[in-house]
Amino acid sequence: MIRLGIPGLILSLWFLMAVTGPFLPLHPERIDLVNILTGPGLNEALGYDDLGRPVLDRLLLGASTSFFVAFWVVTISVVIGTFVGTFSAYIGGYVDQVVVRIIDIFLAFPGILLAIALSGIMGPGIENVVVALSIVGWVGFARLARAQTLSLKHREHVVAAVSLGTVQRKIIVRHLFPLISAPLIIEATFGIASVVIAEAGLSFLGLGVQPPDASWGSMIRDGARYMLVAPHMVLAPGIALMLVVLSVNLLGDRLRDWMDVKGRSVVKK
Amino acid sequence: MLNFLFTRLLSALIVMFGVMCMVFFLIHLVPGDPVDMMLGESARLADREAMRVALGLDQPLLVQLQQYFVNLTQFDLGTSLHSRRPISEMLLERLPATLELAIAALVVAVAIAFPLGVIAAIRKDTLWDRGAMSFSLIGMSIPNFWMGPVLILVFSLWLGWFPVSGRDGIGSLVLPAITLGTALAAVLSRMVRSTLLEVLNEDYIRTARAKGLSESSVVLKHGLRNALLPVITLLGLQLGVLLGGAVITETVFSWPGIGKLTIEAILKRDYPVVQACVLLISLAYVFVNVMTDLVYAWVDPRIRTGGKA
């Protein structure tokens, strides 16, 4: 069995914060003017920000932002990418050639740049972040699913199914998906890491969530202005972000070893 | 070789054409009327019409697309809505700063990644290996919009070694280059380690050892040289990540390059400038990838003859 260890614990915490956050008695928008920029202390574990709001409460709210964006973007990307990639490779011919060209064109844009341009043009907001990151994200899964399908399409069990007259959809769902799922799951795991960074990056640039909602990225941006007097404002969300991404990457590595998928290079988007 | 060159260039041209089309259609993604978005709902009708004509949005879509391509062949990227200056001029002004930063980041990445990867490979499964790979994993997990501020805090504000931001002499280049180069160094060092490990298992390495060559000569001359090719390809591919990351890094450090221009333009809703920046960065990326492929094929004859890769 795969060893979860500390990274597993951190990700469970992230998940718990995201799911229970809305029900906890948090006050991420409560302003305490006396305590503006006060550092961590007994009353408030992570101190206060530039408006006198408690950093810990905002950090928990930011956890749910990053979790839900990652969840939706990776889900949408995996579904669309797998669908497009598998069918394209299975059908072949002109359809496949067109799909390959489209994939090539999408890959010609540095991922984060396209996401920045898309969210900049569509306007800020969390839904637009999900759309922008999904538009960028599906391509990787499509390429992987296509390559995997190509290598499996002429295997004996598929040929046998074809000659038995099995319908195309059933061949893809029953005979191809189970075999291509392992590398896709691993890619999806690393995908979570890059989406978390990308969401925070967009929010850092002011293109993600809008105030008063919190994102670790926008917290870092706000904190950067007060770094000398209140370093906790930058350090807290940054460390949270790093721990989550590091844990996802570590678990991804372990998952890859466990599922024994041949070492592909991890490409950060 | 000619055949290979031809097919590679042709597919690159198709991709570039696709990139141009996508960038053209970007502006049509603006929800509602782009003119409304730019001028606000309260703008006068006459102003809106003037803006529509200025952007060419009054023409049919295909005419707009055709005009866009005609303009591109003349390096006419339009004028900025904000500063009213020709965009090509603005890009040329910002280009040297971005190139400087990208090259410096590349130097940082290579300088960290090679020693780290080589040590991890020759001391496989030791503390050295684990240390180097942990470092690489952490490097991959630190976003540059956090690393930048932390480096500024420590080295500029506390220690006062480097300027906080801006582009003024070599000192101001250090922190942005480290910020941008670290992620690449992390990915690259893993790649150096794994390819070197593969190469060190080859027969010619055993031969080199059997000849009695020194270990450093075996690893560096016979091993690393052959491990270099896949690493160069990865470097080409990762340049896109570098260029994308430059957008954020330049913003953090107020580095006056194309990336900062992109963000400024987005925040000012100066869409033609956004389009031009995205186009330039993406085309540069495609160009670098084609060059990497060609260099690769030139260095390694197996690629162009379609033999074992």
Side-chain angles (χ1 to χ4, degrees):
Chain A
M1 196 47 212
I2 183 166
R3 201 163 56 88
L4 292 172
I6 297 173
L9 188 73
I10 290 173
L11 291 185
S12 314
L13 268 176
W14 184 44
F15 173 75
L16 267 179
M17 285 198 263
V19 178
T20 59
F23 307 106
L24 293 179
L26 296 176
H27 305 284
E29 282 144 44
R30 189 180 58 196
I31 290 172
D32 194 349
L33 293 174
V34 186
N35 281 318
I36 283 181
L37 297 178
T38 307
L42 283 178
N43 294 330
E44 193 47 57
L46 292 177
Y48 294 86
D49 71 359
D50 54 319
L51 298 176
R53 297 173 298 188
V55 170
L56 179 64
D57 294 27
R58 299 194 65 71
L59 197 72
L60 294 176
L61 196 68
S64 72
T65 305
S66 69
F67 182 84
F68 286 112
V69 170
F71 176 80
W72 282 113
V73 171
V74 172
T75 308
I76 295 172
S77 304
V78 168
V79 170
I80 296 180
T82 310
F83 182 81
V84 172
T86 316
F87 273 86
S88 165
Y90 192 78
I91 294 167
Y94 285 116
V95 178
D96 190 40
Q97 278 180 18
V98 171
V99 170
V100 170
R101 287 285 168 232
I102 294 175
I103 291 178
D104 277 352
I105 290 167
F106 270 88
L107 288 175
F109 292 93
I112 187 71
L113 177 72
L114 189 56
I116 288 171
L118 285 171
S119 358
I121 282 174
M122 289 189 297
I126 199 81
E127 297 85 5
N128 287 345
V129 168
V130 172
V131 173
L133 291 178
S134 303
I135 291 178
V136 176
W138 70 277
V139 195
F141 294 100
R143 191 176 51 164
L144 183 59
R146 184 179 168 275
Q148 293 288 321
T149 309
L150 277 184
S151 71
L152 287 173
K153 155 178 171 181
H154 298 297
R155 283 270 191 93
E156 285 90 344
H157 77 280
V158 181
V159 177
V162 172
S163 32
L164 284 171
T166 318
V167 285
Q168 218 176 53
R169 196 173 21 146
K170 203 169 164 193
I171 294 179
I172 291 176
V173 174
R174 296 274 293 274
H175 300 280
L176 291 176
F177 276 171
L179 288 174
I180 65 172
S181 59
L184 282 169
I185 289 171
I186 290 161
E187 179 86 357
T189 311
F190 289 117
I192 295 173
S194 36
V195 172
V196 168
I197 289 190
E199 181 273 317
L202 291 176
S203 294
F204 175 81
L205 294 172
L207 302 170
V209 299
Q210 292 304 293
D213 283 342
S215 153
W216 291 342
S218 57
M219 289 173 76
I220 294 176
R221 180 188 51 163
D222 294 344
R225 273 178 244 143
Y226 303 97
M227 220 151 38
L228 202 54
V229 279
H232 64 277
M233 277 180 68
V234 170
L235 294 179
I239 290 172
L241 189 62
M242 196 185 89
L243 284 179
V244 166
V245 174
L246 190 61
S247 306
V248 172
N249 280 336
L250 268 171
L251 280 187
D253 269 357
R254 284 183 197 165
L255 203 62
R256 178 167 51 196
D257 294 342
W258 183 60
M259 289 185 160
D260 197 27
V261 172
K262 202 163 180 282
R264 300 165 3 88
S265 65
V266 184
V267 178
K268 218 172 76 168
K269 276 171 206 155
Chain B
M1 182 67 192
L2 261 180
N3 204 2
F4 173 83
L5 197 77
F6 183 72
T7 34
R8 195 64 195 85
L9 284 180
L10 189 70
S11 76
L13 279 179
I14 295 174
V15 168
M16 284 187 178
F17 179 76
V19 167
M20 289 173 189
C21 287
M22 247 178 89
V23 169
F24 169 77
F25 283 112
L26 266 182
I27 200 163
H28 295 277
L29 276 176
V30 178
D33 189 344
V35 174
D36 276 353
M37 285 288 281
M38 282 176 235
L39 294 177
E41 306 249 323
S42 56
R44 284 185 307 145
L45 198 65
D47 289 339
R48 285 191 199 190
E49 280 315 308
M51 174 68 92
R52 214 177 293 280
V53 173
L55 287 173
L57 291 173
D58 55 332
Q59 305 282 331
L61 204 58
L62 277 179
V63 176
Q64 287 182 43
L65 187 64
Q66 193 191 358
Q67 188 56 44
Y68 169 76
F69 276 109
V70 170
N71 289 344
L72 276 187
T73 53
Q74 295 160 356
F75 296 103
D76 175 7
L77 296 163
T79 26
S80 155
L81 297 177
H82 207 260
S83 67
R84 307 271 165 204
R85 291 176 56 204
I87 296 172
S88 45
E89 201 181 293
M90 295 166 74
L91 290 179
L92 276 180
E93 207 175 271
R94 302 286 195 119
L95 196 59
T98 295
L99 284 180
E100 192 179 297
L101 178 58
I103 292 170
L106 213 60
V107 171
V108 169
V110 169
I112 298 176
F114 274 88
L116 218 57
V118 171
I119 288 174
I122 53 178
R123 303 258 162 93
K124 187 171 178 286
D125 292 330
T126 64
L127 215 59
W128 288 91
D129 183 17
R130 243 175 289 152
M133 286 305 103
S134 307
F135 179 84
S136 140
L137 202 63
I138 292 172
M140 278 199 295
S141 306
I142 301 181
N144 40 22
F145 53 88
W146 187 59
M147 185 159 174
V150 171
L151 288 180
I152 292 178
L153 180 66
V154 176
F155 293 102
S156 303
L157 298 177
W158 288 348
L159 296 173
W161 290 356
F162 302 106
V164 173
S165 66
R167 179 177 176 233
D168 184 25
I170 195 92
S172 63
L173 184 59
V174 177
L175 294 184
I178 293 176
T179 305
L180 189 55
T182 306
L184 181 59
V187 183
L188 207 59
S189 60
R190 287 187 146 205
M191 185 77 178
V192 169
R193 175 182 178 272
S194 64
T195 45
L196 187 57
L197 277 177
E198 242 167 69
V199 168
L200 289 179
N201 276 327
E202 296 280 346
D203 291 341
Y204 54 80
I205 295 294
R206 187 160 16 104
T207 310
R209 286 214 174 97
K211 280 201 299 193
L213 289 183
S214 70
E215 188 60 23
S216 66
S217 163
V218 170
V219 171
L220 296 180
K221 268 195 175 160
H222 296 247
L224 197 58
R225 264 195 199 178
N226 285 295
L228 223 50
L229 280 174
V231 173
I232 289 174
T233 314
L234 181 84
L235 213 56
L237 284 172
Q238 286 288 317
L239 204 80
V241 181
L242 199 71
L243 289 172
V247 176
I248 289 174
T249 309
E250 284 181 5
T251 309
V252 171
F253 288 95
S254 293
W255 187 259
I258 307 272
K260 186 156 173 288
L261 182 66
T262 314
I263 299 300
E264 286 166 1
I266 284 176
L267 296 179
K268 286 178 194 155
R269 303 204 175 286
D270 198 343
Y271 293 118
V273 177
V274 178
Q275 278 181 309
C277 290
V278 174
L279 188 70
L280 179 71
I281 297 178
S282 305
L283 289 185
Y285 181 39
V286 176
F287 178 75
V288 169
N289 271 331
V290 175
M291 293 313 287
T292 320
D293 268 11
L294 294 183
V295 169
Y296 202 133
W298 178 58
V299 175
D300 188 345
R302 286 172 301 184
I303 307 292
R304 54 176 189 261
T305 53
K308 183 178 153 279

